[in-house]
Amino acid sequence: MQALKRPYFWHAIYTRSRAEKRLYQELCSKNIECYLPLKKELRQWSDRSKWVEEPLLRSYLFVKVSEREYYDVINSNFAVRYVTFGGKAVSIPEKQIEALRLFLDDENRKVDLCTDYLETGEVVEVISGPLKGIQGEITQIKGKSRIVIRFDSLGTCVYTDISLDSIKQVQIVMH
């Protein structure tokens, strides 16, 4: 008899304070697929400066689990709880996780985080460059054109500069 294949979904998990990397390591050792978005920052001390990798989203980690691994994650040492809505863990579309990975993989691109409410903008798709294929919203932040990936369940947006000639409008199909 063939084993039943369980569906896997991405979820955000809230971590203990400053324990994102430790939870990531713990979950990887349990063979649970997870993603910790990191950004490089230049830190300045009195005697030196050094590039360090810091979590982009403080106290959050993304996990891709089925029902079987769901409780393994929450029972980990550094996990607090899933990000929920109406008592149920919110699933995050695979496309958003992949777009976030592409944003952060380009070391020449400055990526910022915004927790201010941004007006919903025009939905666009990047048609050229390293972000080709990503869909997001185009908006103006601090006078520059930016593409935004909105994580409503986390109350945050990730954005980066984008050239207007490298995007096209996406037609929204209503059902």
Side-chain angles (χ1 to χ4, degrees), residues 34-50:
C34 50
Y35 176 53
L36 176 59
L38 298 171
K39 67 176 182 174
K40 288 188 177 183
E41 292 181 347
L42 185 60
R43 290 285 170 93
Q44 185 67 45
W45 286 271
S46 60
D47 62 336
R48 62 190 158 92
S49 59
K50 181 180 177 183

Side-chain angles (χ1 to χ4, degrees), residues 32-69:
I32 294 174
E33 186 175 354
C34 50
Y35 176 53
L36 176 59
L38 298 171
K39 67 176 182 174
K40 288 188 177 183
E41 292 181 347
L42 185 60
R43 290 285 170 93
Q44 185 67 45
W45 286 271
S46 60
D47 62 336
R48 62 190 158 92
S49 59
K50 181 180 177 183
W51 285 97
V52 294
E53 285 190 322
E54 290 291 324
L56 177 66
L57 301 160
R58 283 265 172 227
S59 298
Y60 290 100
L61 178 78
F62 297 103
V63 294
K64 188 175 185 180
V65 295
S66 69
E67 290 176 21
R68 179 180 294 175
E69 297 92 0

